[in-house]
Amino acid sequence: MRINENNYVDKAEEAIIELVKDAKERYGVRYRDKLVTTSKIRNLLAMTADIYNQVLVCQEEVLSDDICGRIEYLRVRFMYEYGRDDSKERKVKNFIDKTNILVLLKEVGKTKHNYILFSKYMEALIAFHKYYGGKEQ
């Protein structure tokens, strides 16, 4: 999946709609209990935002090795959250799979523009998750 300035909001909405649709089909009216919580997504966004603040002040389009290392560590944290999700519903796994977060993080590379776009995509995911019935924890 590729995102850009013109489609990242639509892609985020599509991913959340798909997650909600799948949960409704599987679990019926109790589907909200089977989705990843808004709080969990916010925790992932907090890590993303931390790096985002550093990226914004970066003068170059090519990110420093230090920032790239932090982005790689962020990818590791997403993989960790994915791996530790042993719930029957696979809440975090489904979220990461449907939203293509790991793929998009790899595509950031060393580019400031790509990381900013990724951060905006994460914010859009939270907004649509809440809009379409995501539950707080």
Side-chain angles (χ1 to χ4, degrees):
M1 174 175 86
R2 293 260 186 217
I3 58 172
N4 59 47
E5 296 79 9
N6 299 316
N7 74 2
Y8 76 92
V9 174
D10 290 335
K11 295 286 187 184
E13 184 176 27
E14 289 167 12
I16 297 302
I17 287 172
E18 178 118 359
L19 276 169
V20 170
K21 181 180 144 218
D22 288 353
K24 281 181 178 179
E25 287 173 3
R26 279 185 142 166
Y27 305 106
V29 294
R30 301 222 34 176
Y31 78 94
R32 290 183 69 210
D33 295 334
K34 309 305 180 183
L35 293 172
V36 67
T37 62
T38 303
S39 300
K40 175 61 88 174
I41 302 171
R42 275 201 199 106
N43 288 339
L44 298 172
L45 178 66
M47 293 184 285
T48 304
D50 213 24
I51 298 168
Y52 176 78
N53 292 331
Q54 278 191 305
V55 168
L56 276 184
V57 298
C58 193
Q59 300 298 317
E60 304 293 322
E61 177 59 27
V62 176
L63 300 172
S64 70
D65 287 343
D66 179 53
I67 293 174
C68 289
R70 292 191 69 203
I71 294 169
E72 284 298 300
Y73 180 69
L74 178 63
R75 195 161 59 96
V76 168
R77 288 300 308 266
F78 275 100
M79 289 186 292
Y80 173 75
E81 292 296 334
Y82 187 98
R84 73 185 288 253
D85 180 9
D86 59 356
S87 67
K88 188 172 95 177
E89 299 86 18
R90 298 177 29 105
K91 296 175 184 181
V92 175
K93 289 178 180 180
N94 287 339
F95 177 78
I96 290 174
D97 287 342
K98 293 278 189 213
T99 59
N100 291 301
I101 288 173
L102 293 174
V103 171
L104 294 172
L105 264 175
K106 280 188 98 161
E107 289 177 0
V108 166
K110 294 184 170 223
T111 310
K112 177 180 180 176
H113 173 266
N114 288 352
Y115 189 80
I116 291 171
L117 189 60
F118 173 78
S119 294
K120 289 178 179 179
Y121 177 71
M122 284 293 297
E123 287 182 45
L125 289 172
I126 290 173
F128 286 115
H129 182 270
K130 191 68 179 160
Y131 179 79
Y132 286 106
K135 189 174 171 183
E136 294 286 340
Q137 179 99 0

Coordinates of all heavy atoms in Angstrom, one line a residue, residues 4 15 19-20 25 34 58 60 82 96 110 128:
N4 N 0.0 8.9 0.0 CA 0.5 10.2 -0.3 C -0.4 11.3 0.2 O -1.4 11.0 0.9 CB 0.6 10.3 -1.9 CG -0.7 10.1 -2.6 OD1 -1.7 10.7 -2.2 ND2 -0.7 9.3 -3.6
A15 N -9.2 1.5 6.0 CA -8.6 0.5 6.9 C -9.5 0.3 8.2 O -9.8 -0.8 8.6 CB -7.2 0.8 7.3
L19 N -11.8 -2.9 9.4 CA -11.6 -3.5 10.7 C -13.0 -3.6 11.4 O -13.3 -4.7 12.0 CB -10.7 -2.7 11.6 CG -9.2 -2.9 11.5 CD1 -8.5 -1.8 12.2 CD2 -8.9 -4.3 12.0
V20 N -13.8 -2.5 11.4 CA -15.1 -2.5 12.0 C -16.0 -3.5 11.4 O -16.7 -4.3 12.0 CB -15.7 -1.1 12.0 CG1 -17.1 -1.1 12.5 CG2 -14.9 -0.2 12.9
E25 N -19.1 -8.6 11.5 CA -19.4 -9.9 11.0 C -19.1 -11.0 11.9 O -19.9 -12.0 12.0 CB -18.7 -10.1 9.6 CG -19.3 -9.2 8.5 CD -18.4 -9.3 7.2 OE1 -17.4 -10.0 7.2 OE2 -18.8 -8.6 6.3
K34 N -14.2 -6.1 20.6 CA -13.2 -7.0 19.9 C -12.2 -6.1 19.1 O -11.4 -6.7 18.4 CB -14.0 -8.0 19.0 CG -15.0 -8.8 19.7 CD -14.5 -9.5 20.9 CE -15.6 -10.3 21.6 NZ -15.1 -11.0 22.8
C58 N 14.2 19.2 11.8 CA 15.3 18.8 10.9 C 15.3 19.7 9.7 O 14.3 19.9 9.0 CB 15.1 17.3 10.5 SG 16.5 16.5 9.8
E60 N 17.3 19.2 6.9 CA 17.5 18.4 5.7 C 16.3 17.5 5.4 O 15.6 17.1 6.3 CB 18.8 17.6 5.8 CG 20.0 18.4 6.2 CD 20.5 19.3 5.1 OE1 20.4 18.9 3.9 OE2 20.9 20.4 5.4
Y82 N 2.6 -6.4 18.2 CA 2.0 -7.4 17.4 C 2.2 -8.7 18.0 O 1.3 -9.5 18.1 CB 2.6 -7.3 16.0 CG 2.0 -8.2 14.9 CD1 1.0 -7.6 14.1 CD2 2.3 -9.5 14.8 CE1 0.4 -8.4 13.1 CE2 1.7 -10.3 13.8 CZ 0.8 -9.8 13.0 OH 0.2 -10.5 12.0
I96 N -2.7 -3.7 13.0 CA -1.5 -3.5 12.3 C -1.5 -4.1 10.9 O -1.0 -3.5 10.0 CB -0.3 -4.1 13.2 CG1 -0.1 -3.2 14.4 CG2 1.0 -4.2 12.3 CD1 1.0 -3.7 15.4
K110 N 14.7 7.2 4.7 CA 15.4 8.3 5.3 C 14.8 9.6 5.0 O 15.5 10.6 5.1 CB 16.9 8.2 4.9 CG 17.6 7.0 5.4 CD 19.1 7.1 5.1 CE 19.9 6.0 5.8 NZ 21.1 6.5 6.4
F128 N -10.5 8.2 12.8 CA -11.5 7.3 12.2 C -11.9 6.2 13.1 O -13.0 5.8 13.2 CB -11.1 6.8 10.8 CG -11.2 7.8 9.8 CD1 -10.1 8.3 9.1 CD2 -12.4 8.4 9.4 CE1 -10.2 9.3 8.2 CE2 -12.5 9.4 8.5 CZ -11.4 9.8 7.8

